[in-house]
Amino acid sequence: MNNTIKKGFYFKSYEAPFQSPFDKLFAIFKELITHTSGDFDEAISWLRELDKEYKLTEPSYTIDDFIDDLKKKGYIREELKEDGTSGVGITAKTERAIRQQALDNIFGNIKKSGSGNHKTKHVGNGDEHTGEFREFHFGDSLERISLTESLRNAQINNGVADFMLTENDLVVEETQYKSQMSTVLMIDISHSMILYGEDRITPAKKVAMALAELITTRYPKDTLDILVFGNDAWRISIHDLPYLKVGPFHTNTVAGLQLAMDLLRRKRNTNKQIFMITDGKPSCVREKDGSYYMNSNGLDQYIVDKCYTQAQQARKLHIPITTFMIASDPYLQKFVNHFTEANQGKAFYTGLKGLGEMIFQDYETNRKKRVK
């Protein structure tokens, strides 16, 4: 009997990968805690409602068991609320888990690397070997000489019997510059980010958390500063992101740009950029006397001109601004077009879907450029 091996495909019903009861609930919990801006009680309340509707748990493992595991694993802790009563809050461990989930969901299968640097297309003194060789030139550092290739040349040119190594035998391996990037991410937290029944702040938070996790794990030599802008602008830390909320604010784009440029002026990196996520028009500026000039009706030319001035100032500092506009109003797109032209930056008109992928792609593209 001839034993033949048949090649082909075998089809079977999809089997979901195994998840423990805790892991299954924890993935949902991380989404809910992001939507509730870190409010544990509200997140658990939503989780209980979802359990009733979709039967997420079994009698052997309930929501209460899940809460106990959260405590044992260090994801939550007892804390005092602002009103003085006791409550439960999430820990830094949970914050990291939320950022990692945001990275996985938004940016896909991006693998971590230990070095955390980006290559550029420029060849020169650096620590990224290209595998290409050239002749030794006066001024090349000794550590760049390829000993193996140089000895091979000496044997070919001079023979083994009369072995000698001359300058003409030396070759060096090319290396590439590795660029570093300083990025400021601006997030609009004006009231319009939750108007018309659409939650726009949560996707913006997820993008910020994913970008923060990407940079800190894959590109640790890069820097990321995050700021929010409403009536004013202020810097927030990565740890503040899960708790970020929209306020009863107008949109002071000028204040955000001024703070972003102040932060970038302090960076030594050559490559600098600003990412701005906004859904509304600029409607507020702060005057020199500390008062606020606000106008939500249409585009106020006084406010708009100040935005153009900031865009031009950033251009002089070689800081490109990439605007991600979560709005489709023609008059707002016209404003963004003029703003982008003044800065010589870029603009994307997008809804909430695909926002994270666009920011990642633009970040990666900009990292390959070396600004001289």
Side-chain angles (χ1 to χ4, degrees):
M1 179 182 291
N2 293 328
N3 293 327
T4 58
I5 300 176
K6 296 181 179 181
K7 296 182 179 180
F9 296 97
Y10 173 71
F11 295 93
K12 64 178 182 177
S13 300
Y14 172 75
E15 296 179 3
F18 173 77
Q19 274 189 310
S20 67
F22 174 83
D23 290 336
K24 180 180 178 181
L25 293 176
F26 190 49
I28 301 171
F29 172 77
K30 286 182 287 187
E31 285 289 330
L32 294 174
I33 205 70
T34 303
H35 281 272
T36 61
S37 297
D39 189 321
F40 175 80
D41 293 334
E42 185 179 356
I44 289 298
S45 177
W46 277 107
L47 187 60
R48 292 186 189 278
E49 290 298 321
L50 290 173
D51 183 30
K52 291 179 183 177
E53 185 170 354
Y54 297 104
K55 303 295 188 291
L56 302 177
T57 63
E58 299 177 358
S60 59
Y61 193 87
T62 65
I63 298 296
D64 291 330
D65 294 326
F66 172 67
I67 295 174
D68 289 338
D69 280 346
L70 287 175
K71 292 178 181 178
K72 294 175 183 177
K73 295 176 183 290
Y75 288 110
I76 59 175
R77 65 171 182 267
E78 299 288 338
E79 63 180 15
L80 288 177
K81 296 183 178 180
E82 294 180 357
D83 59 5
T85 60
S86 60
V88 178
I90 63 175
T91 64
K93 185 177 181 180
T94 306
E95 294 168 1
R96 289 193 299 271
I98 294 172
R99 293 197 299 270
Q100 183 59 53
Q101 178 162 294
L103 176 63
D104 294 339
N105 290 344
I106 293 176
F107 293 156
N109 298 321
I110 300 172
K111 296 181 180 180
K112 300 178 182 179
S113 74
S115 60
N117 289 316
H118 305 259
K119 301 177 192 174
T120 66
K121 298 178 181 178
H122 298 268
V123 175
N125 294 324
D127 55 0
E128 180 72 13
H129 296 282
T130 66
E132 298 177 358
F133 300 94
R134 62 169 174 81
E135 295 179 358
F136 175 84
H137 298 304
F138 178 78
D140 287 333
S141 58
L142 295 178
E143 61 266 18
R144 293 181 60 193
I145 295 176
S146 173
L147 185 59
T148 302
E149 292 296 322
S150 298
L151 291 175
R152 178 174 175 271
N153 281 348
Q155 290 176 350
I156 294 173
N157 296 333
N158 306 310
V160 178
D162 299 322
F163 179 80
M164 60 184 299
L165 181 68
T166 68
E167 182 179 340
N168 294 331
D169 300 321
L170 299 178
V171 295
V172 297
E173 184 175 1
E174 291 282 25
T175 56
Q176 288 181 324
Y177 285 108
K178 285 186 176 181
S179 61
Q180 294 178 330
M181 176 67 78
S182 290
T183 303
V184 172
L185 178 63
M186 297 173 50
I187 303 175
D188 184 351
I189 59 167
S190 61
H191 186 60
S192 60
M193 291 289 278
I194 55 170
L195 279 180
Y196 314 117
E198 185 175 32
D199 177 11
R200 296 169 174 175
I201 189 62
T202 299
K205 284 194 297 185
K206 286 184 178 180
V207 167
M209 287 189 289
L211 190 59
E213 188 68 10
L214 172 75
I215 291 175
T216 55
T217 57
R218 184 173 179 178
Y219 307 124
K221 291 185 179 180
D222 286 5
T223 66
L224 174 67
D225 291 287
I226 305 170
L227 66 88
V228 294
F229 61 105
N231 292 349
D232 288 295
W234 59 95
R235 184 184 176 190
I236 64 172
S237 71
I238 293 174
H239 302 291
D240 296 327
L241 284 171
Y243 314 100
L244 191 61
K245 296 180 181 180
V246 168
F249 305 127
H250 285 69
T251 308
N252 192 344
T253 307
V254 171
L257 292 170
Q258 288 174 335
L259 178 56
M261 283 186 280
D262 286 342
L263 291 170
L264 289 174
R265 282 190 187 98
R266 305 170 193 170
K267 307 297 182 183
R268 296 182 179 180
N269 294 345
T270 304
N271 299 325
K272 301 174 183 180
Q273 64 182 353
I274 296 172
F275 286 166
M276 178 168 64
I277 303 175
T278 181
D279 76 327
K281 58 184 177 295
S283 59
C284 172
V285 291
R286 189 172 185 177
E287 303 288 15
K288 292 182 180 179
D289 62 1
S291 63
Y292 294 90
Y293 175 75
M294 301 177 180
N295 184 2
S296 298
N297 298 318
L299 281 171
D300 188 298
Q301 197 61 44
Y302 177 71
I303 299 175
V304 167
D305 286 343
K306 286 187 174 293
C307 289
Y308 293 155
T309 299
Q310 293 302 314
Q312 293 166 353
Q313 181 64 27
R315 181 182 177 184
K316 291 178 182 178
L317 295 172
H318 305 290
I319 301 174
I321 302 170
T322 303
T323 305
F324 297 88
M325 193 70 174
I326 314 173
S328 57
D329 308 68
Y331 78 102
L332 289 179
Q333 291 189 1
K334 185 177 179 181
F335 156 70
V336 173
N337 283 338
H338 288 308
F339 177 85
T340 302
E341 183 179 355
N343 175 255
Q344 292 297 294
K346 287 182 288 185
F348 295 91
Y349 305 100
T350 175
L352 298 174
K353 186 177 181 180
L355 175 64
E357 289 86 344
M358 271 191 269
I359 288 183
F360 166 67
Q361 290 171 2
D362 199 58
Y363 180 80
E364 289 282 276
T365 300
N366 291 350
R367 289 303 292 105
K368 297 175 183 177
K369 298 175 182 177
R370 182 175 176 84
V371 182
K372 295 184 178 181

